[in-house]
Amino acid sequence: MSISPEVIKTKILILEDNPGDMLLIEEYLLEKFEKLTISHFSDLQSAMGAMDSGSDYSVCLLDLFLPDIGGFELVQKVKEACANTPIIILTGYADFSLARKCISYGISDILLKDELNSELLHKSILYAIDRFRFIKSLENAKQLYHSLFNFTPQPMWIYDDTTFKILNVNNAAIEKYGYTMDEFLSMTIYDIRPPDQIYQLEKRLSISKELRNEPFAGVFTHRLKNGERIQVEIFSSEISYEGQLSRIVLSNDVTQKLKYINTIEEQNNKLRRIAWTQSHVVRTPLSRLIGIVDLLEENPDEMANLQFWLQKVKDSAVELDQLIRTIVIESEALNIQNNEKL
Amino acid sequence: MKDIVLIIDDDPVYQLVVKSKIGKIEPGLEILCCEYGRLGLNKLETILNGYNSIIVLLDINMPVMNGWEFLTECETARLHDRQNLRIFIVSSSTDKSDVNDAGKSSLVSDYFSKPLSNTDLLRILKNGAMQ
């Protein structure tokens, strides 16, 4: 941030009741700013209207004591009215405790009238504008992250990594888990687990910090306020939240997905059963047929029992036929189920 | 002492075919047949000490006690210490997992898919005979 010659128009709001001071301030300003508009008011009452109507002032110069109101009360009123404008206080008295109070309240600068000159005022105004812009952009970024947190359709929360207390939750978490924000804030991450799953959480919390840096924590069972159990994929990451070492968590309900996978697994098992039947059961009469033919080829003596072996060949062929029919029926049943489920 | 072949299989036609084939390769070799594992186990116990060499041809898929259960029982009875016993799995399965499982058991000398060819039988009889 450097003090550069102002090329854009500077719009200054001045609240000052002393005509002599006002004259001096105006002079200092005209000396340094090329394009300048000044709106001047002598008391708060008359200034209120100007401040309300879409205040696009670059800066507000405020005398600490006006005829109708003064001191910190005045500062509060002006700050409220011009939330989007940096405020510089001009005062005749060096009251440090009040000065500190004002600065912590978000006032950009406090200048003593006795020490005022064009250089000092110019510098203070430019700094105030730049700094205010920077603070605003930080606030906007904070707002943006807050929105991202709140408007993502997946439940998220932040918890204290020492006490495991829940520090913040988003709207999706409130909707999914059924607890209100206040309820969440009085809970720990233990409270969203069914009692029989606490050991899973403790197992997870006991692993080393390095491993916990992996965003994907695994699939866990959580419990909603209404007692329903859900399967969730958990992603988490370390975060510094309002100065506390915390973790931000994203929870993705995969209950339905797991159900689908189970359905697919069941179908796979049926297919495996068919494959097994083919390997074991179908090959039984088939290998018997090959065995009989082999025997007749290799042992001519057995030709004496041809009638017997032919009957066995016929029996095996019928058995094979039956098995194949059964497999066809099973496969058809599998197809029908497929169409119903998908 | 003599050699003996114990066929444990629930398919009577298979039993006949194998008996006939062995009869051609080694006429006079004693052959016993059982329909399932439990019977095979009882038979095995009675002949265990009476023969120089016992060759078991074991099917997998059988009623009452299947081939795997038979092998487990043999292990419990510590039959793998028996120098005169050779067990060969002869199954209609060509399933890889069965072949792998067979490989895991220290009791199983080899695995064959049905039908047994003369070459297979020659290998079994040669392998099974005591040196």
Side-chain angles (χ1 to χ4, degrees):
Chain A
M1 277 175 279
S2 63
I3 305 175
S4 54
E6 284 291 287
V7 282
I8 53 157
K9 199 168 186 176
T10 313
K11 222 180 141 191
I12 299 181
L13 172 69
I14 304 176
L15 276 77
E16 173 61 75
D17 63 326
N18 185 321
D21 288 348
M22 181 60 207
L23 203 69
L24 212 59
I25 294 165
E26 218 171 345
E27 201 174 288
Y28 290 154
L29 291 173
L30 288 168
E31 197 180 304
K32 289 288 179 184
F33 291 91
E34 279 177 22
K35 294 182 171 179
L36 184 71
T37 23
I38 293 174
S39 308
H40 171 228
F41 299 95
S42 302
D43 57 79
L44 182 66
Q45 194 59 44
S46 50
M48 279 311 258
M51 292 190 288
D52 284 345
S53 60
S55 59
D56 61 339
Y57 294 108
S58 317
V59 68
C60 169
L61 303 182
L62 175 65
D63 181 15
L64 202 47
F65 291 95
L66 296 178
D68 50 348
I69 189 170
F72 191 65
E73 205 186 335
L74 169 65
V75 174
Q76 278 177 306
K77 285 247 154 69
V78 175
K79 177 81 180 141
E80 264 168 44
C82 320
N84 292 313
T85 311
I87 297 164
I88 296 170
I89 289 171
L90 304 174
T91 177
Y93 314 95
D95 180 343
F96 281 113
S97 75
L98 181 62
R100 182 173 285 174
K101 203 169 162 190
C102 290
I103 295 290
S104 70
Y105 193 62
I107 298 305
S108 298
D109 205 356
I110 294 179
L111 302 174
L112 278 175
K113 282 181 178 172
D114 289 346
E115 293 169 1
L116 203 62
N117 58 49
S118 62
E119 195 65 48
L120 184 67
L121 185 61
H122 182 235
K123 203 169 103 171
S124 176
I125 289 173
L126 291 186
Y127 275 3
I129 292 170
D130 275 352
R131 200 164 48 232
F132 199 77
R133 209 177 280 147
F134 179 67
I135 290 167
K136 273 286 160 199
S137 76
L138 279 184
E139 273 172 11
N140 287 342
K142 194 177 162 189
Q143 194 59 43
L144 178 70
Y145 285 120
H146 187 73
S147 300
L148 281 176
F149 182 69
N150 249 333
F151 296 127
T152 171
Q154 294 191 313
M156 288 176 83
W157 55 86
I158 296 167
Y159 70 89
D160 186 314
D161 207 15
T162 323
T163 64
F164 306 120
K165 278 191 137 179
I166 293 170
L167 303 174
N168 198 358
V169 296
N170 70 356
N171 293 339
I174 290 170
E175 210 167 289
K176 177 95 221 167
Y177 286 78
Y179 295 102
T180 64
M181 173 67 92
D182 284 343
E183 285 172 323
F184 262 124
L185 294 183
S186 67
M187 290 160 60
T188 71
I189 54 170
Y190 281 78
D191 298 325
I192 52 171
R193 266 85 179 173
D196 59 308
Q197 292 291 313
I198 294 292
Y199 78 99
Q200 290 282 12
L201 174 64
E202 282 174 343
K203 206 166 102 190
R204 173 71 192 163
L205 293 174
S206 68
I207 66 170
S208 71
K209 241 186 146 90
E210 289 71 38
L211 280 172
R212 282 179 73 194
N213 281 342
E214 279 291 311
F216 181 59
V219 175
F220 295 86
T221 304
H222 283 182
R223 188 179 53 176
L224 309 181
K225 192 183 180 183
N226 66 13
E228 191 190 323
R229 293 161 75 107
I230 55 168
Q231 305 283 107
V232 287
E233 274 177 352
I234 293 295
F235 299 84
S236 84
S237 168
E238 201 176 275
I239 186 180
S240 175
Y241 182 76
E242 286 170 2
Q244 282 160 288
L245 183 62
S246 315
R247 291 191 76 83
I248 185 163
V249 178
L250 186 145
S251 146
N252 180 25
D253 186 350
V254 290
T255 315
Q256 209 56 36
K257 192 169 104 182
L258 291 178
K259 261 186 204 157
Y260 287 140
I261 291 173
N262 279 344
T263 306
I264 291 167
E265 276 296 319
E266 270 170 33
Q267 290 184 344
N268 281 349
N269 280 338
K270 279 198 187 112
L271 285 172
R272 243 175 255 131
R273 218 153 44 226
I274 291 174
W276 190 90
T277 309
Q278 287 186 350
S279 178
H280 289 254
V281 185
V282 175
R283 279 206 88 252
T284 302
L286 184 65
S287 65
R288 199 188 300 133
L289 282 170
I290 302 169
I292 294 169
V293 173
D294 266 4
L295 181 78
L296 292 175
E297 269 181 357
E298 288 161 7
N299 298 7
D301 302 355
E302 291 293 345
M303 279 308 210
N305 304 320
L306 188 62
Q307 210 52 43
F308 171 82
W309 289 121
L310 274 180
Q311 187 55 48
K312 296 300 168 198
V313 166
K314 199 177 168 186
D315 293 347
S316 298
V318 169
E319 193 185 328
L320 189 59
D321 184 43
Q322 281 299 329
L323 283 168
I324 290 169
R325 281 168 201 273
T326 312
I327 289 170
V328 170
I329 290 165
E330 262 184 64
S331 308
E332 277 170 359
L334 195 74
N335 273 337
I336 291 161
Q337 248 179 348
N338 248 342
N339 292 338
E340 276 171 359
K341 276 182 183 161
L342 299 177
Chain B
M1 280 208 282
K2 301 169 290 175
D3 296 349
I4 189 168
V5 176
L6 177 60
I7 300 173
I8 307 173
D9 199 297
D10 60 327
D11 185 343
V13 179
Y14 160 85
Q15 291 179 5
L16 280 174
V17 170
V18 172
K19 268 206 281 199
S20 173
K21 283 190 166 208
I22 292 175
K24 272 282 163 198
I25 295 167
E26 256 193 78
L29 181 60
E30 205 173 330
I31 302 171
L32 278 173
C33 292
C34 311
E35 280 163 41
Y36 48 86
R38 174 58 62 199
L39 291 175
L41 209 60
N42 294 342
K43 268 277 174 14
L44 190 58
E45 275 163 13
T46 62
I47 61 173
L48 207 49
N49 295 318
Y51 291 86
N52 190 31
S53 165
I54 302 166
I55 296 171
V56 177
L57 303 182
L58 178 68
D59 188 22
I60 297 291
N61 195 23
M62 288 179 290
V64 187
M65 184 193 274
N66 70 25
W68 302 128
E69 289 160 351
F70 173 85
L71 285 171
T72 311
E73 290 284 324
C74 287
E75 263 167 53
T76 315
R78 302 200 59 79
L79 289 185
H80 43 279
D81 294 339
R82 289 290 179 156
Q83 293 297 315
N84 62 342
L85 180 67
R86 291 281 187 280
I87 300 175
F88 299 87
I89 289 178
V90 185
S91 165
S92 50
S93 167
T94 50
D95 196 327
K96 265 209 156 61
S97 73
D98 283 344
V99 184
N100 289 343
D101 286 347
K104 274 178 213 150
S105 171
S106 60
L107 276 165
V108 177
S109 298
D110 209 346
Y111 181 100
F112 293 92
S113 275
K114 285 181 190 173
L116 282 176
S117 68
N118 275 346
T119 327
D120 293 336
L121 276 169
L122 277 169
R123 261 178 66 196
I124 290 170
L125 295 175
K126 201 180 149 199
N127 230 315
M130 292 302 105
Q131 287 84 10

